[in-house]
Amino acid sequence: MAALEGKTSKKRSATDANIKTEANKNKAQKSAKTGKPNGASKFQKKGSANGDKPAVDFKLQRKMNRPHYEVVKRAKEIWNIIRERDVEKTKRTQLVEELFHLVSGKIYDVAAKHDASRVIQSLLKFGTPAQRTSVIQELQPQLLELAKLQYGCFLVTKMLKYGSKEDRALIVREMTGNVVKLATHNVAANMLESAHEYLQPRQLSGLKLEFYGKEFAYFKSEMEDKKKTLADIIDHSPSKKEEILTHVADLLNRMVDKQLLGLAFVQALMLEYLTVASTERINAMVPNIRDAAVALLATRAGAKVVVICLSVGTPKDRKRIIKTLKDKVFEACNHISGYLVLLRILDVVDDTVLVQKSILSELHSHWLDVALHQNGSKVLLQLLSPLNSKYFGPEEIQLLQPPMVDDNGEQVVNYKKDPQVRRNELWKGLKSTIETMCSENAAALLRSKSGGHVLFEVVKQADNEDLTAAVFDAVMNEEAQDGVEPLFADSLAHKQLQRLIGIESFGKALLEALTKPAINTWAKTNRGSFVLLAFVKEQVAGASAALKKALDVKKLSATEKALAGTKLLLEKLELA
């Protein structure tokens, strides 16, 4: 059977080979008759196989058929030259002049093209004031349409940036009556964002009135001189409060749907709304805001919006906001406005375990940077000395007051846990880490205003001999460095030492640690003398007697005795 199958397969192979050979012969004969090479595709461009004719560039043909092709082509050539930094001024001026005459009368058609918008932007940047005015006047009728184009909005921004006072007035005239349409368009909204940077406050206040309702837009000349914010409008028309708030809420919801919450003017409007809205209205708006907390931290107004949401929102809302801050806590902590949100989280979130795991744990390896930062240090200071006017400004203190909400006509605080209990629980988890950080970086903290505040509060709270010893070691045994004042003579550190001496246990221990040579060295400097004087002012036990005994007045030169600090010290010790 196997032999029979082998013979059969050999016959089939021979037959197949004969068939293929015959087919190839027929194909060769056919190609010889038609003149086409063997294997040539029937879809191949005419003349491209033998090189008789060049292939047609259909893409170029389409470009050439577009309006103003030659103008755009030359304009882009000029743009490629004038945008370079090392172009001679005279050459650039000539090319800009050529470009201006080239595009005049067809600027909108050129600017609307995705690859030519930058050409007109460069014309505004490098052109003369007269040329800029001419461009803006030509584009004025199409300004709103241009603002809605993906690339056109950048041109409008340049018009606001480089235009004169009169040019900007023309732009404002076109925007008037269309602010809401622009503000709720996902591209044109950027025009309003730029307007806040370049327009005058009076112009902005007039445009902003349109957010509050159509009637304020129509009669803005009567309103804009007196009414600046939503609160002012409501005070002026209290009977229309609910109507106005409903209108603004609908407008804000549309902006949120268009993902415009990252724009500064939207955040400012949101803050105005939440400031005057009822608890019920705020709670209705919070779900739209809580997941965009990180974007809101970019501005002071946005951070305040998040603070209000944390204050009035439910525990679920607070948890969602904390979740959005994942991997962003350190950045927010040292941000110019983001730290406000962290302060509020520490104040109102009852779940201290969640705060420890989600917020404070991200700062574990950054506590020194936090302590040395002007804003970041306030996160620690709020735990150690809450709402202390020495560390917090009036605005911050007002913002961080206990959150009150309406409960059946009664104002109640919107958390359950006692604030001091909450702070103690949070500090308990941080205490060891922060004390270690202070011990290892005492000198750096003393030389920093913010760091010195943190060190003072930690020493004041702690009963830690190792920490006290570390501060003593930093003060007494610091290695001398060229161009660096010792701690007792440093412009900031000597003030921090004076405060620390005011802590009874610390002042007494430091006095005992000071040697006679150290006292005399300090007394020879102005700032060092003020540090020694702090022992007397703070009435540290035995300070006057110890300093009198150690101080060798005879070794002080006349110049040293004339120093303000040294002179005052000698007078206090009755050694003058």
Side-chain angles (χ1 to χ4, degrees), residues 240-511:
K240 297 181 179 180
K241 178 179 179 179
E242 292 303 316
E243 180 184 345
I244 295 170
L245 289 178
T246 300
H247 172 78
V248 176
D250 291 342
L251 179 59
L252 286 169
N253 284 327
R254 287 162 60 190
M255 292 175 175
V256 172
D257 291 340
K258 293 290 182 70
Q259 298 181 348
L260 300 175
L261 206 51
L263 300 179
F265 80 89
V266 179
Q267 296 176 9
L269 181 62
M270 181 70 77
L271 178 61
E272 288 186 23
Y273 172 77
L274 296 181
T275 303
V276 298
S278 63
T279 302
E280 184 180 355
R281 284 185 175 275
I282 294 175
N283 282 326
M285 186 64 71
V286 168
N288 294 334
I289 302 171
R290 61 191 182 189
D291 292 330
V294 173
L296 288 163
L297 299 188
T299 67
R300 193 81 170 179
K304 289 180 180 179
V305 167
V306 182
V307 167
I308 293 174
C309 292
L310 286 166
S311 300
V312 182
T314 64
K316 182 180 178 181
D317 295 327
R318 292 167 179 170
K319 189 173 182 179
R320 289 283 291 271
I321 291 173
I322 290 174
K323 186 178 179 180
T324 63
L325 295 176
K326 185 178 180 181
D327 299 328
K328 300 288 184 181
V329 175
F330 176 59
E331 185 180 349
C333 187
N334 287 356
H335 190 267
I336 191 171
S337 55
Y339 75 98
L340 291 171
V341 174
L342 299 186
L343 292 177
R344 203 50 171 168
I345 288 173
L346 298 181
D347 275 355
V348 301
V349 178
D350 291 326
D351 189 349
T352 54
V353 175
L354 174 65
V355 175
Q356 286 279 9
K357 289 183 177 179
S358 301
I359 301 296
L360 300 180
S361 63
E362 288 194 25
L363 300 174
H364 183 75
S365 58
H366 303 288
W367 281 121
L368 177 60
D369 295 323
V370 170
L372 295 175
H373 195 275
Q374 179 182 1
N375 296 323
S377 60
K378 293 179 181 180
V379 173
L380 286 171
L381 293 171
Q382 179 65 359
L383 289 176
L384 298 167
S385 184
L387 300 182
N388 189 332
S389 59
K390 184 174 181 63
Y391 309 133
F392 299 94
E395 180 196 29
E396 294 167 331
I397 293 175
Q398 178 64 32
L399 197 64
L400 298 174
Q401 289 298 315
M404 307 301 291
V405 294
D406 184 69
D407 184 17
N408 297 324
E410 183 181 355
Q411 292 291 311
V412 296
V413 70
N414 194 27
Y415 51 68
K416 297 180 180 179
K417 190 172 289 187
D418 181 80
Q420 191 57 48
V421 172
R422 183 190 302 108
R423 282 192 286 268
N424 290 340
E425 290 177 359
L426 293 173
W427 178 243
K428 184 179 179 180
L430 291 177
K431 184 178 179 181
S432 176
T433 303
I434 300 301
E435 288 180 358
T436 301
M437 181 272 294
C438 290
S439 298
E440 294 174 352
N441 302 280
L445 293 170
L446 285 170
R447 293 184 187 277
S448 164
K449 182 178 180 180
S450 301
H453 292 331
V454 172
L455 181 62
F456 172 80
E457 293 296 341
V458 172
V459 172
K460 185 178 177 181
Q461 295 274 345
D463 185 15
N464 189 327
E465 294 181 359
D466 293 337
L467 174 58
T468 305
V471 178
F472 290 170
D473 184 63
V475 175
M476 305 295 295
N477 303 317
E478 185 185 29
E479 294 183 6
Q481 300 179 32
D482 293 338
V484 179
E485 294 278 6
L487 287 172
F488 64 83
D490 183 79
S491 59
L492 291 173
H494 86 284
K495 290 183 177 293
Q496 305 297 355
L497 285 172
Q498 291 178 59
R499 290 191 69 204
L500 286 167
I501 289 169
I503 302 173
E504 184 178 355
S505 59
F506 184 92
K508 185 177 180 181
L510 180 58
L511 181 63

